[in-house]
Amino acid sequence: MTAPHETEALTAIFRRLIENYGPISLAHYMGESNARYYAGKDPLGEDGDFITAPEISQMFGELIGLWLADMWINAGRPEEVHYVELGPGRGTLAQDALRAMRRYGLEPSVHFVEGSTALKAIQLEAVPQAYWHDDLSTLPMYGPLLIVGNEFLDALPVRQLVRTEAGWRERMVGWQDGRLLPVIGTMPMDAALRAEQRPDLRGTPDGTIVETSPAAAAVVYEIAGRLIDQGGAALLIDYGYDEPRTGSTLQAVRAHMKVDPFALPGEADLTAHVDFHALSNAALSRGCRWLGTVEQGRFLRNLGIEARAEALAKVAPEHAEAIHSACTRLTAEGQMGALFKVLGLAAPNWPDGAGF
């Protein structure tokens, strides 16, 4: 028999919690909602809620694999190397990347950081040799790590602070008029936004929202520490920005359409734009090498995606239009090319990476 807490609507759970204890943090709301959302479904593909770059074209994963192989070769081909993917979806990126790596003699052990039971089953079919982890703490403590995270950081919980007449306050989630909605908390939060860290916030008007993701910063900080201790490199790819900014970027997607983030907790994919400026600072604060942050389109073009598209089109001319359309979707400024960014990290003694 299914336990009651597994079937009860998350809206009802949040309502009871808020009525008994007061508004909850946006980070709490987002974390619980996405945990429920990812726990029992495959959200990817035309029949799901969204499509990621590896599902658009094999070229994406192949170029990621070639980038990692190039780093490994230039680092002297170290042994006992591990491929680590954060949130590997259906395993499509890993399949394409590992195939490309093998062409250059790189055959790492494979480790997936995944919390979704439904997706683990699909990943097992795609990459049966993989090892699964709930978080980074159980990854091997020896040997270089080749880490990839594509559309992983955007789903981690965010906090939002809003400027009011009384100072900075946290944006919370409350229950009013029979629905969940954002409300302003009462606890002063001015100390969380020190002037030396965000001088751009001086003189901002009431209603200004600042968004942070301590969870994403913690992940990158841990990755940086692992790279320093063990060697290796990382590519973190997501939609976001690389200069400090203000405003809420919280959004919800269901069936490829944007919906109210507070209407269907646990039934829609909740995400927020990634602050790559903050994440690069988190890595640098630990002594890790920051290779750069560039637009996805520029990164893929620098790695030769257009030449790869031409080669694939010649081999399969009947699919040429679809191949070139996928290339455009991944690289064009008006599509994924500019909105998505690529953050590169490497161990201090590892080489520079191509594409940056």
Side-chain angles (χ1 to χ4, degrees):
M1 180 178 292
T2 303
H5 73 273
E6 292 178 337
T7 58
E8 185 178 11
L10 205 49
T11 298
I13 296 173
F14 283 141
R15 175 184 179 176
R16 188 166 59 249
L17 183 64
I18 292 166
E19 287 178 340
N20 287 330
Y21 301 103
I24 60 175
S25 71
L26 182 60
H28 181 176
Y29 173 81
M30 189 174 175
E32 292 286 345
S33 297
N34 275 349
R36 171 74 70 93
Y37 174 76
Y38 282 101
K41 66 176 292 186
D42 171 15
L44 298 163
E46 296 291 348
D47 296 328
D49 293 325
F50 56 89
I51 296 177
T52 60
E55 306 293 332
I56 293 172
S57 172
Q58 69 184 67
M59 295 183 289
F60 184 82
E62 287 174 345
L63 291 175
I64 298 300
L66 292 175
W67 188 90
L68 295 173
D70 182 64
M71 291 291 286
W72 173 73
I73 291 168
N74 289 327
R77 299 175 183 263
E79 297 182 356
E80 295 188 306
V81 65
H82 313 285
Y83 173 84
V84 177
E85 189 170 342
L86 313 178
R90 291 174 168 172
T92 306
L93 192 160
Q95 280 184 312
D96 295 335
L98 291 167
R99 185 177 63 251
M101 290 182 217
R102 281 195 295 270
R103 297 207 299 265
Y104 294 90
L106 174 55
E107 298 193 42
S109 64
V110 180
H111 300 266
F112 289 159
V113 177
E114 179 61 73
S116 167
T117 302
L119 286 173
K120 282 180 183 177
I122 298 171
Q123 293 157 12
L124 179 61
E125 292 278 332
V127 190
Q129 74 270 32
Y131 299 91
W132 278 264
H133 306 263
D134 291 329
D135 54 47
L136 279 71
S137 66
T138 57
L139 292 174
M141 302 295 289
Y142 60 90
L145 303 177
L146 302 176
I147 301 173
V148 177
N150 181 63
E151 292 200 51
F152 173 79
L153 297 171
D154 66 301
L156 297 181
V158 297
R159 296 179 68 188
Q160 291 182 346
L161 304 182
V162 58
R163 184 149 201 164
T164 71
E165 290 183 358
W168 291 97
R169 299 291 185 268
E170 185 158 12
R171 202 166 181 238
M172 313 284 282
V173 178
W175 180 265
Q176 294 179 10
D177 303 322
R179 63 192 181 99
L180 295 163
L181 76 176
V183 298
I184 297 175
T186 58
M187 185 177 296
M189 299 296 293
D190 300 75
L193 292 172
R194 296 192 295 274
E196 68 271 17
Q197 290 185 329
R198 291 296 302 268
D200 59 305
L201 297 178
R202 293 194 186 103
T204 52
D206 291 348
T208 299
I209 293 174
V210 175
E211 199 170 72
T212 66
S213 180
V219 167
V220 172
Y221 189 80
E222 186 171 356
I223 288 172
R226 286 299 198 101
L227 295 180
I228 290 169
D229 292 342
Q230 297 175 231
L235 288 177
L236 301 173
I237 307 159
D238 233 306
Y239 57 91
Y241 48 94
D242 55 6
E243 292 292 340
R245 62 170 62 176
T246 60
S248 172
T249 69
L250 179 68
Q251 67 176 26
V253 173
R254 190 182 192 201
H256 303 277
M257 300 287 291
K258 289 186 179 181
V259 297
D260 180 352
F262 302 100
L264 298 165
E267 299 178 43
D269 179 41
L270 286 179
T271 62
H273 288 204
V274 175
D275 183 350
F276 283 101
H277 177 77
L279 298 187
S280 61
N281 284 338
L284 288 167
S285 73
R286 194 146 194 188
C288 186
R289 288 188 64 211
W290 171 56
L291 303 178
T293 302
V294 298
E295 293 180 351
Q296 176 178 291
R298 176 184 166 190
F299 180 75
L300 294 176
R301 283 193 296 271
N302 286 345
L303 295 187
I305 191 171
E306 292 163 331
R308 178 60 176 154
E310 288 292 339
L312 288 174
K314 287 181 180 179
V315 172
E318 69 276 15
H319 299 302
E321 185 176 348
I323 291 167
H324 289 298
S325 175
C327 182
T328 298
R329 187 171 177 184
L330 292 171
T331 61
E333 186 170 335
Q335 299 197 46
M336 298 175 73
L339 178 59
F340 279 71
K341 307 294 189 300
V342 182
L343 169 68
L345 301 174
N349 60 340
W350 271 55
D352 292 334
F356 294 96

